[in-house]
Amino acid sequence: MTPGSTLAIVASSECFHSMMDPTLIAELEQALGPANVFSKPEELLLYVYDGSVEHGRPDCVVFVRTTGDVVAVARFSNQRGVPIVGRGAGTGLSGGALARNGGVQIVFSRMNRILGIDFENQRAVVQPGVVNYELTRAVEHADLYYAPDPSSQKACTIGGNVAENAGGPHTLAYGVTTNHVLGLELVLPDGEVVRIGGKTPDTPGYDLTGLLVGSEGTLALITEITVKLLRKPEAVKTLLAVYDAVDDATETVAEITARGITPAACEMLDGWTLRAVEAYVHAGFPLDSAAVLLIEIEGLREATEAQALAVAEVCRANKAREVRVARDDRERELLWKGRKNAFGAVGRISPSYYVQDGVIPRSKLPATLRRVNEIGTKYGFEIGNIFHAGDGNLHPIILFDPRDHEQFKRAASAAHEIMEWCVSLGGSITGEHGVGMEKSEMMPALFSPADLDAMKRIRDAFNPAGLLNPGKMFPLGKGCGETRVRPLPVGTSAVS
Amino acid sequence: MSVLASAALQQIEKIVASANFVTDPAALAPYEVDGWRPTAVARPYSPEETAEIVRVAAAEKLAVIASGARTKLGIGAPPSQYDLALDLTRLRRVIAYDPADLTLSVEAGIRVADLQKVLGEQGQFLPFASPFAKSCTVGGVLASNATGPLRHSYGTARDFTLGMEFVDGSGTRTKSGGRVVKNVAGMDLHKLMIGSLGTLGVITSANFKTFPLPQASGTFVISYLRLADALALRAALAASVLSPQVLDIVSPDAVPFLDSGSGQLPAERWSVIVAAGGDQRVVERHAADIEQMAAQTGADNFAALEEVARQGLWEAVRELPATLLATSKRVVFWKISSLPGSFAAVVSEVDRIARENSLRAATLIRAAGLVYAALLPTEVDPEDDPATMNRLQRAVAQLFARTADVGARAVIEWCPLELKRRVSVWGPPGEDAELMRRVKKVFDPQNILSPGRFVGGI
């Protein structure tokens, strides 16, 4: 969230009317059926938002169910010069699914069939609208599961996961989405359908699948995804380590990493955040602690026992006042519910919050949280931390009131300083949420003009007219005035 | 060579200094690729020099093939042009190593073996385990996507490469990815570079996540008369909660190439080779469970190897392609991507084709989803017999077709030059060929990097 990003919708009701010519809307209705095309202002309103602080303004929303539908929309866009923006469940945290420049929002949530599960070979083929957790549920009876587990997994779609190369707590041991996707069916912006990769490994030629995963919907629309499934581990041990000082928790993580112990997940919640969460979730987080670590060990019984002992030892050596082991599935699920619903819990105590996604080397974690705390103090915010400590992927949470413009600006500045710190340590501006609209202006901090140019040339090779998800990933280079819009005053009806 | 081209080479000589610029024919011989000898070899010291060289080459359309230890130059189709060899072995620095973060950045020309020594001092390693291990370079392993038995548990380069710097076909230095273990900023251009055979860019450095060396390990050999039973063990392992690091199955005909006479692999048997690593109790658990599964699947033999035998066998398995190439000038070495459920069908086709064409077949199945198959002339064939080449050619056409019929995808990794002139080693192009051509145009519009060697004639 930087000065150049789109902020909110103009108070005027005009922008909530579709800017699209009614004959174009009629064309889409003809291709997809009127029930699958929304163009009334009140229908478009939901699609102005996603999980981030950004906003978009679609002129039309269409629902697709088949590859043929997607081809029709792509051809329409190509022939009429209308931008199109893909969207799954709209849970994204970087504005990737928002129609920044208007146009057609192509929603995949109804294209949600699991097309085939190959249990013997541990493969599944799904449509993009399949909800992440639903895939795991569909295969768990066979002791299989789909590993990438974003916190929003009960709502987010696999298509969205592929576009952003989504992570989650268990990526520490198992990798992110790109490590589990083997092939895709694509619809190019001109409507051509191409299959890349496949069920078998090492498809000859360039790793196009590797390029597409994480391309944030700027290269092609994805209509089918082939993934690998993992076998459920024999044993799981979930530990909660409780600390009286944030530093002790971060030093624990640094030492676990340095010792070469790889838990399946290693999450941290600071005291401030866990108190907010506990009031809502009642997961059993100790209210008087400064920080907790939620560490999960998975694998063979023998391996988990040995690892859990080693981890507990490191926790205690770093002054953990208590190390609890979840006694059964119920306790384990409650702890995870606490972690995964944290942002929702925070939402109860603030009109809005801004979550970041920076990454730093694990060895620099203690210094980083101290710096985040300093930055919070400097700008007058209490910054909560609930994040994937095990892979150095921070999620500082800054609470703000979007109606208070000055506070919002301060929040943006604080966020910017945190990102600068991450970059200065050789880290990244985004570990899993994607660049989208939110961090596009910070890309030059990581990449040279030549680097960005190479990525743009790839984008142009797939998306020559620039109509697929425009205005994402790359800096717009615009000044504050051109794209920022005033926040919505309270009590104003957005729709006349 | 044209006057302008010669002038360009002179410019390149100035960039690296004469001591690092070779034109003597005898010294050029090692840089030959499929019968093409370059006019010169340049050995840059830095990524900046590398970029300058490529820039000059692009201006005069001089075709460039980059190499490290030159162990895998035989992969791919013959080049359509080859003017300059770019030897990257002087770029061999460890740029940054953070053992506490398990991340690493190295120049591409460093030998994998040397790098492993550096990492070993910190109790870490990179799970490449690809052939020619004693001499190969990081850049070569990445450019060819060379893999080995450890892919079963650690994945391949794309799974632990965090970022890369490369010089594209116009001589522009470009970076992709980063240095931390989690990063989705920008597009993963480095994934395109992996396995690209140098056709998109010259890799100058790469960033990796490193791994702790396992505390203990065990290797088990389980032998069977019939492939079906060996595959039953594979299926049992896949359905279990065990997590072997390595799971390979070797055919009876492959045994002579893997067993240096120490008898770890019984003759005339299919052998399943499993490795387990981690804590001592994990290894013991694997040993116990696998022995039980072996009995249940009717194995002839179950052996847990001692340390020395274990090392010997692993080296042999890892080096199999190198061993085969050293044994016969006429081996056709295939890499067939297949789902585990199709392994039996693939091997059956390979055997049938071998019989029909009076050839030998040695196969190695990698449980992650590959069947490596070597087709060789039988011992009685005189080496120069043209009839042998005809039979190999016929076998090639049959193997491409029949593996496709059973849902697998074959490519030829190594074969005699004469055969490359008659067949396409990559097999028929897929529907993604046009997208690949677009990608090539983005990075190398002048088509000077390794031209003609890749899929679809790229």
Side-chain angles (χ1 to χ4, degrees):
Chain A
M1 188 168 66
T2 60
S5 68
T6 305
L7 243 139
I9 303 304
V10 184
S12 160
S13 61
E14 277 172 24
C15 283
F16 278 89
H17 286 284
S18 172
M19 307 272 259
M20 201 178 291
D21 192 315
T23 54
L24 296 183
I25 302 202
E27 232 182 274
L28 287 169
E29 287 177 341
Q30 173 81 310
L32 304 172
N36 295 308
V37 179
F38 287 0
S39 57
K40 301 206 196 79
E42 61 272 18
E43 290 173 328
L44 301 179
L45 196 49
L46 174 61
Y47 299 91
V48 161
Y49 307 97
D50 69 357
S52 73
V53 295
E54 308 288 344
H55 301 81
R57 28 148 305 204
D59 295 307
C60 179
V61 172
V62 303
F63 294 87
V64 290
R65 282 189 166 79
T66 65
T67 300
D69 286 347
V70 179
V71 168
V73 178
R75 284 204 187 127
F76 164 86
S77 155
N78 196 40
Q79 281 156 15
R80 303 289 172 217
V82 174
I84 46 174
V85 179
R87 181 184 178 104
T91 57
L93 293 164
S94 57
L98 299 176
R100 185 174 210 170
N101 297 2
V104 177
Q105 179 96 86
I106 172 171
V107 181
F108 288 89
S109 56
R110 297 178 190 173
M111 192 167 167
N112 60 359
R113 290 189 302 131
I114 295 174
L115 297 175
I117 303 173
D118 180 349
F119 292 99
E120 183 196 2
N121 294 305
Q122 293 179 205
R123 300 280 188 268
V125 181
V126 302
Q127 290 187 320
V130 169
V131 169
N132 176 297
Y133 191 60
E134 289 304 315
L135 176 55
T136 288
R137 284 207 333 150
V139 299
E140 61 189 0
H141 67 279
D143 285 338
L144 297 175
Y145 73 113
Y146 178 62
D149 62 335
S151 299
S152 54
Q153 70 181 150
K154 293 197 175 164
C156 65
T157 64
I158 297 194
N161 294 163
V162 169
E164 302 294 341
N165 194 11
H170 286 79
T171 60
L172 179 54
Y174 302 116
V176 289
T177 297
T178 197
N179 306 110
H180 298 268
V181 174
L182 302 168
L184 299 169
E185 180 188 79
L186 309 174
V187 172
L188 297 179
D190 64 0
E192 191 189 335
V193 182
V194 186
R195 303 189 77 99
I196 61 174
K199 282 184 167 189
T200 57
D202 295 7
T203 302
Y206 301 133
D207 183 4
L208 295 173
T209 306
L211 173 68
L212 263 290
V213 179
S215 58
E216 304 196 18
T218 61
L219 301 183
L221 295 162
I222 295 164
T223 47
E224 204 180 277
I225 304 152
T226 301
V227 301
K228 69 179 182 206
L229 302 168
L230 299 189
R231 189 152 292 283
K232 280 201 232 161
E234 176 175 51
V236 179
K237 266 190 162 38
T238 309
L239 287 74
L240 187 74
V242 183
Y243 295 86
D244 291 322
V246 169
D247 264 2
D248 297 335
T250 52
E251 292 289 351
T252 302
V253 175
E255 195 181 326
I256 288 174
T257 311
R259 289 233 210 148
I261 302 172
T262 309
C266 179
E267 303 283 294
M268 179 166 153
L269 291 84
D270 67 10
W272 184 91
T273 321
L274 71 83
R275 279 185 280 283
V277 169
E278 189 59 20
Y280 170 57
V281 178
H282 312 297
F285 293 142
L287 294 173
D288 62 343
S289 61
V292 299
L293 289 179
L294 177 58
I295 303 174
E296 194 149 90
I297 317 280
E298 280 180 4
L300 284 185
R301 215 182 323 121
E302 292 83 354
T304 55
E305 278 164 18
Q307 272 204 317
L309 279 172
V311 165
E313 196 186 292
V314 175
C315 293
R316 290 197 191 96
N318 285 281
K319 307 194 216 130
R321 76 168 190 232
E322 189 194 343
V323 181
R324 284 182 218 166
V325 180
R327 281 169 301 189
D328 51 32
D329 266 347
R330 197 196 68 89
E331 269 186 22
R332 173 182 178 262
E333 267 165 41
L334 207 48
L335 288 172
W336 277 110
K337 191 173 167 205
R339 164 62 184 93
K340 291 198 171 180
N341 290 315
F343 295 166
V346 164
R348 290 171 85 236
I349 63 179
S350 174
S352 196
Y353 61 84
Y354 178 44
V355 178
Q356 292 190 274
D357 188 38
V359 186
I360 42 92
R362 272 83 50 104
S363 44
K364 302 290 190 289
L365 187 54
T368 299
L369 283 204
R370 286 194 292 270
R371 181 83 192 109
V372 167
N373 193 40
E374 268 168 37
I375 291 170
T377 308
K378 174 176 172 186
Y379 289 95
F381 293 104
E382 186 88 65
I383 301 182
N385 291 286
I386 168 163
F387 64 107
H388 315 296
D391 39 33
N393 188 182
L394 311 169
H395 288 318
I397 309 171
I398 304 173
L399 303 188
F400 71 100
D401 184 341
R403 298 164 294 188
D404 180 341
H405 192 63
E406 190 274 332
Q407 191 184 81
F408 176 76
K409 266 188 14 191
R410 266 188 294 124
S413 300
H416 194 87
E417 260 194 63
I418 294 173
M419 288 288 97
E420 281 184 328
W421 169 265
C422 294
V423 171
S424 74
L425 294 178
S428 176
I429 59 177
T430 174
E432 56 186 9
H433 298 166
V435 175
M437 291 164 66
E438 197 226 346
K439 307 175 201 69
S440 51
E441 303 310 307
M442 279 217 78
M443 286 285 273
L446 288 178
F447 297 108
S448 72
D451 304 333
L452 293 176
D453 186 61
M455 293 183 220
K456 281 193 194 149
R457 292 194 330 264
I458 281 284
R459 182 200 55 194
D460 294 344
F462 281 75
N463 182 14
L467 292 171
L468 186 58
N469 210 8
K472 305 294 171 70
M473 200 186 281
F474 298 100
L476 296 183
K478 293 192 157 122
C480 296
E482 291 182 54
T483 50
R484 172 186 285 169
V485 192
R486 276 175 297 112
L488 200 62
V490 174
T492 304
S493 166
V495 179
S496 70
Chain B
M1 173 161 283
S2 75
V3 171
L4 286 173
S6 299
L9 283 179
Q10 280 173 3
Q11 232 186 311
I12 290 168
E13 182 174 4
K14 284 210 190 71
I15 294 168
V16 294
S18 300
N20 302 299
F21 189 79
V22 176
T23 47
D24 164 44
L28 293 174
Y31 294 87
E32 273 185 23
V33 176
D34 289 336
W36 280 80
R37 184 174 295 197
T39 307
V41 181
R43 302 178 59 227
Y45 182 62
S46 65
E48 290 84 3
E49 278 186 9
T50 308
E52 252 194 280
I53 291 168
V54 175
R55 213 173 306 131
V56 171
E60 289 312 320
K61 287 200 171 232
L62 294 177
V64 175
I65 299 182
S67 61
R70 304 185 301 279
T71 56
K72 296 177 282 288
L73 284 178
I75 294 180
S80 55
Q81 193 185 332
Y82 184 19
D83 301 302
L84 178 70
L86 200 51
D87 181 326
L88 277 258
T89 54
R90 291 175 72 212
L91 268 80
R92 54 174 185 257
R93 293 175 276 272
V94 173
I95 299 168
Y97 177 29
D98 186 352
D101 189 43
L102 290 103
T103 54
L104 170 73
S105 179
V106 289
E107 288 190 320
I110 192 171
R111 278 174 205 262
V112 171
D114 293 339
L115 178 55
Q116 301 285 32
K117 272 206 207 85
V118 171
L119 301 179
E121 285 162 17
Q122 304 293 327
Q124 299 181 0
F125 80 118
L126 276 176
F128 284 131
S130 53
F132 311 98
K134 294 204 164 70
S135 46
C136 69
T137 61
V138 165
V141 169
L142 292 176
S144 62
N145 194 24
T147 62
L150 285 176
R151 68 180 292 162
H152 187 83
S153 48
Y154 289 94
T156 63
R158 76 189 296 287
D159 298 311
F160 48 86
T161 303
L162 304 175
M164 225 183 253
E165 278 199 32
F166 56 92
V167 173
D168 77 4
S170 66
T172 307
R173 291 186 59 194
T174 313
K175 175 179 76 264
S176 158
R179 284 204 195 163
V180 282
V181 300
K182 226 167 151 195
N183 188 0
V184 295
M187 301 208 197
D188 276 2
L189 304 181
H190 52 287
K191 293 223 164 51
L192 291 172
M193 297 296 142
I194 296 172
S196 64
L197 274 197
T199 55
L200 298 178
V202 178
I203 301 168
T204 51
S205 67
N207 310 329
F208 300 104
K209 78 176 176 185
T210 61
F211 295 81
L213 283 160
Q215 302 156 288
S217 32
T219 299
F220 314 102
V221 176
I222 308 100
S223 304
Y224 296 85
L225 185 58
R226 301 180 332 128
L227 175 59
D229 297 327
L231 289 175
L233 177 60
R234 184 220 67 86
L237 276 163
S240 77
V241 291
L242 297 183
S243 49
Q245 289 189 321
V246 172
L247 182 46
D248 283 353
I249 305 176
V250 302
S251 72
D253 271 319
V255 171
F257 300 103
L258 291 168
D259 195 87
S260 43
S262 46
Q264 300 124 334
L265 299 176
E268 288 160 28
R269 290 289 180 277
W270 288 88
S271 285
V272 182
I273 312 176
V274 189
D279 162 269
Q280 184 57 37
R281 290 197 311 152
V282 167
V283 176
E284 284 164 12
R285 166 76 185 274
H286 277 81
D289 284 11
I290 293 171
E291 190 165 8
Q292 211 177 21
M293 288 179 201
Q296 282 162 357
T297 48
D300 273 357
N301 182 46
F302 169 88
L305 302 189
E306 295 301 323
E307 180 65 20
V308 175
R310 189 173 74 75
Q311 294 283 28
L313 180 58
W314 280 120
E315 258 187 58
V317 168
R318 187 191 69 210
E319 297 296 325
L320 180 60
T323 310
L324 283 160
L325 288 169
T327 306
S328 165
K329 287 203 180 67
R330 297 195 151 194
V331 64
V332 182
F333 190 75
W334 295 82
K335 176 178 166 183
I336 307 165
S337 302
S338 158
L339 285 175
S342 308
F343 285 156
V346 169
V347 172
S348 166
E349 291 305 329
V350 169
D351 282 345
R352 196 153 63 99
I353 289 165
R355 274 195 315 273
E356 285 172 14
N357 294 284
S358 308
L359 299 165
R360 268 190 302 166
T363 49
L364 182 148
I365 299 171
R366 200 137 275 168
L370 295 166
V371 177
Y372 287 103
L375 288 178
L376 302 121
T378 55
E379 325 278 2
V380 296
D381 273 319
E383 221 183 59
D384 300 320
D385 183 2
T388 308
M389 196 50 65
N390 292 336
R391 295 205 308 280
L392 283 170
Q393 183 178 352
R394 198 168 60 225
V396 164
Q398 289 169 342
L399 207 147
F400 274 124
R402 295 199 206 157
T403 48
D405 287 342
V406 299
R409 184 94 181 258
V411 297
I412 295 172
E413 279 204 326
W414 306 92
C415 75
L417 180 54
E418 204 189 322
L419 198 58
K420 285 197 193 188
R421 295 195 169 122
R422 304 186 190 192
V423 302
S424 161
V425 299
W426 297 104
E431 62 184 280
D432 49 9
E434 205 270 323
L435 281 183
M436 294 193 196
R437 277 192 285 275
R438 289 193 210 182
V439 169
K440 167 72 173 181
K441 264 222 165 73
V442 165
F443 291 103
D444 183 23
Q446 300 278 69
N447 194 27
I448 60 152
L449 296 179
S450 226
R453 294 174 69 207
F454 205 55
V455 172
I458 290 174

